[in-house]
Amino acid sequence: MSVGQALPHESAAEHVTGHALFTDDLVHRTPHVLHAHPVCSPHAHARVTRLDPSPALAVDGVVRVLTVDDVPGVNDAGVKHDEPLFPDEVMFVGHAVCWVLAETLEAARLGALAVEVDYEPLPAIVALTEAIEAESFQGGRPVVARGDVEQGLAAAAHVFSGVTEMAGQEHFYLETHASLALVDESGQVFVQSSTQHPTETQEIVAHVLGRESHAVTVQCLRMGGGFGGKEMQPHGFAAIAALGATLTGRPVRLRLNRTHDMTMTGKRHGFHAQWRVGFDDDGRLVALEATLTSDGGWSLDLSEPVLARALCHVDNAYWIPHVLLHGRVARTHKTSQTAFRGFGGPQGMLVIEDVLGRCAPLLGIDPVDLRRRNFYVDGQATPYGQVVRHPERVAVAWDQVVSTGEVVRRREEIAAFNAAHEHTKRALAVTPLKFGISFNFTAFNQAGALVHVYKDGSVLINHGGTEMGQGLHTKMLQVAATSLGIPLERVRLAPTRTDKVPNTSATAASSSADLNGGAVKDACDQITARLREFDEGRDLPWDDLVREAYFGRVQLWAAGFYRTEGIHWDSTRMTGHPFKYFAYGVAAAEVEVDGFTGAHRTRRVDIVHDVGDSLSPLVDIGQIEGGFAQGVGWLTLEDLRWDESDGPGRGRLTTQSASTYKLPSIGELPDELHVALLEHAHEDGVVYGSKAVGEPPLMLAFAVREALREAAASFGPEGTSVELASPATPEAVFWAVQRARGVTCTG
């Protein structure tokens, strides 16, 4: 049985040897390609008063300049119809007003510089706090409520209030956005795109071109990373390439350089949360009221479902009897913020973890004990009404981490170390996670697959999910081989294409193995049932059975389908059963902080994570390690900065390259990293009892942030409560240390 085996990624050898092809690699196999380059706004908010492309046409090699007048269909790159492909009002620095097509990329760049554009600058809102003060909001304002918060707070023995702010995060996938479009002899538009959502890319390209979806085919070979950044954002770029190919009759390649990618595309939403919380005398949560405001940027994109998921994850793994959560999306003149691994869940969870981290010293309760005593127990439901299934798994994982990580002994050693070291402190924190798995939007919880068994017994599978390095294709090969009862090497996987499996959902929400695996298994089960009926107990070897079945006119291919059962969601009332199940995990992190500089390192991390019955353990452990590292980056390193001055650079992203935006590297990994999969964690109703693994591990990184908070507090007297900025960069940790020491901070 292939499922459950620790196998390498199906493209691992190709990745490390450089033989794996990505979208932009196909340019070298495509003759007569034109190259696209954007003409970007230098203003955060301005009206375009004049656009003259004629000077660009005089540049050697320039073939055409695409403007709004060239759009035969709908001039919009989004699904909310609030993202004009060619805007007459620019809404952020880097907003493209037109695109230049040329024989070479350099000619296109020079042509873009030659285009003449006049702007009328308009007032711009850059900071999230500015948007809140100006009441600049967009979209709906959801509310999650249970019980009576005011009554709960009035009855609480201890009430605290505060503000929690957290920054966004740049996806920084290794492969930037890329599309390659061409038109065949029949007028069919074929787009190779680095996209997590080929179907939606197909729909946007079709409506920009004024065509029906059947006239557009989108293929995704693989992505060099996505992390949510290629769920919505690729559509407009694919549409530009397709429009150019349609108008010129030549293939058009659009690939953003790193600076363009960072300045033109959306990021994780930054959040601002204002909260009040009440505890009883035993340190149990009684009531929580919070208002969460996300920085949506200039358009809605996925901001509303991101906010909804954030509100649904404020509770994390904790029972809170009285809850009132308000949500709103701010409109700012920045890139339109979008999906990012966790999709609002990390931002929601950070609120409650920040609350507990700040309140534990004020309550005089050890943070480890405070978290442990507030866990959900069997029979309790979330604030939005879903009963929490298997809550005991958090406790089991917690106890396993505490035991195998020798948390009690090490914390005693840390206390002794801190007492002996005035300018260096250590701390060890433990944090849990509970993350709901399914798309917020119920209709997206479906998938299709197409499985072919050929006469020689070999098998080809197509499914609607895309591969971005996360190992989805590896798991689908294992599912197919196991379902058909054949060796893995007999199965091959075809690239994801909209003309093979239609109407697919995005590869997102950590649901792709559940959804596509269910569809692949359904198709395989149909074929197996036909073969079993044909075999009639003869127990023929696979190759013989297939060959005879063919001559017996038995259908040897099948279209599979899967829909997630048992989920429902009322987005107006913010109640229901939106998740198929919850993924659980626990992390313990030990850090060391230098009191002179705030520099810190992570000494050791112990993780126990629930992936059900793992489809592919090696892939899952890799996802846990990678997700954790990306979470550490968000919480401690990656510091997006926009120019908030009133000068000419207002609204400009100042951290627009790897030289100014700090990414986690091998140097930021813990000296020791121990990862274990939770045992005896079978999940009913999911393909082979498995659970999603993509997004949840990112939130294990809260343990590092909470350890940094405790280490900073150790520089002050017993019971010091420390507010820690997010990201907790060395500078932020330094100021937290200064506050713990009682030094007035003026920096």
Side-chain angles (χ1 to χ4, degrees), residues 80 300-310 329 343-344 440-441:
K80 295 279 188 180
L300 272 174
D301 194 276
L302 290 167
S303 294
E304 289 176 306
V306 164
L307 179 64
R309 184 171 279 268
V329 180
F343 203 78
N440 296 63
F441 185 50

Side-chain angles (χ1 to χ4, degrees), residues 144-146 277 279 285-290 292 307-325 344-356 370-377 380-389 391 394 431-436 569 574 576 578-579 582-584 699 702:
V144 172
R146 174 174 63 196
V277 65
F279 297 86
L285 286 157
V286 175
L288 176 68
E289 178 191 29
L292 275 63
L307 179 64
R309 184 171 279 268
L311 294 176
C312 289
H313 284 77
V314 168
D315 60 323
N316 194 8
Y318 311 111
W319 162 252
I320 314 171
H322 303 281
V323 178
L324 180 60
L325 307 172
Q347 293 96 314
M349 287 188 196
L350 181 56
V351 174
I352 192 64
E353 293 302 334
D354 194 55
V355 166
L356 294 176
L370 181 64
R371 289 185 165 90
R372 180 67 173 80
R373 71 181 60 175
N374 277 288
F375 285 171
Y376 277 105
V377 297
Q380 291 177 335
T382 65
Y384 46 88
Q386 178 167 346
V387 174
V388 178
R389 192 159 172 257
V394 179
T431 59
L433 75 88
K434 171 184 68 66
F435 189 84
W569 179 242
M574 292 290 285
F579 305 121
F582 295 102
Y584 302 107
M699 286 142 278
F702 288 140

Side-chain angles (χ1 to χ4, degrees), residues 137-301:
F137 302 115
Q138 56 184 329
R141 296 202 186 185
V143 177
V144 172
R146 174 174 63 196
D148 187 326
V149 159
E150 292 301 331
Q151 181 180 328
L153 290 171
H158 308 276
V159 176
F160 308 100
S161 62
V163 170
T164 299
E165 294 180 279
M166 63 207 79
Q169 186 179 17
E170 165 62 38
H171 300 89
F172 218 104
Y173 22 66
L174 291 181
E175 176 205 26
T176 59
H177 279 278
S179 292
L180 175 64
L182 54 88
V183 182
D184 68 15
E185 76 285 352
S186 66
Q188 180 80 10
V189 179
F190 182 54
V191 183
Q192 300 269 10
S193 177
S194 183
T195 176
Q196 293 175 232
H197 200 170
T199 288
E200 202 164 77
T201 300
Q202 174 192 34
E203 292 169 357
I204 297 299
V205 169
H207 86 217
V208 167
L209 297 180
R211 311 278 291 274
E212 292 184 294
S213 288
H214 69 204
V216 177
T217 299
V218 174
Q219 174 170 294
C220 178
L221 278 178
R222 57 170 61 83
M223 286 167 279
F227 312 117
K230 294 176 181 175
E231 181 173 350
M232 292 282 287
Q233 305 275 308
H235 310 333
F237 303 126
I240 291 292
L243 177 61
T246 302
L247 294 175
T248 64
R250 293 174 59 179
V252 172
R253 168 248 201 157
L254 187 160
R255 178 186 57 78
L256 300 183
N257 62 34
R258 181 62 65 186
T259 300
H260 279 145
D261 200 282
M262 293 187 73
T263 56
M264 296 175 69
T265 68
K267 310 170 192 322
R268 184 187 295 280
H269 293 71
F271 267 66
H272 175 284
Q274 191 161 4
W275 49 265
R276 291 190 297 158
V277 65
F279 297 86
D280 65 17
D281 276 327
D282 293 326
R284 288 187 170 81
L285 286 157
V286 175
L288 176 68
E289 178 191 29
T291 297
L292 275 63
T293 308
S294 73
D295 186 345
W298 73 279
S299 68
L300 272 174
D301 194 276

Side-chain angles (χ1 to χ4, degrees), residues 414 417-418 424-428 590-592 601 603 711 714:
I414 287 169
F417 176 90
N418 288 350
T424 305
K425 304 293 183 184
R426 294 175 180 171
L428 194 163
E590 180 183 342
V591 302
E592 182 176 290
R601 68 186 181 100
R603 291 169 47 81
S714 298

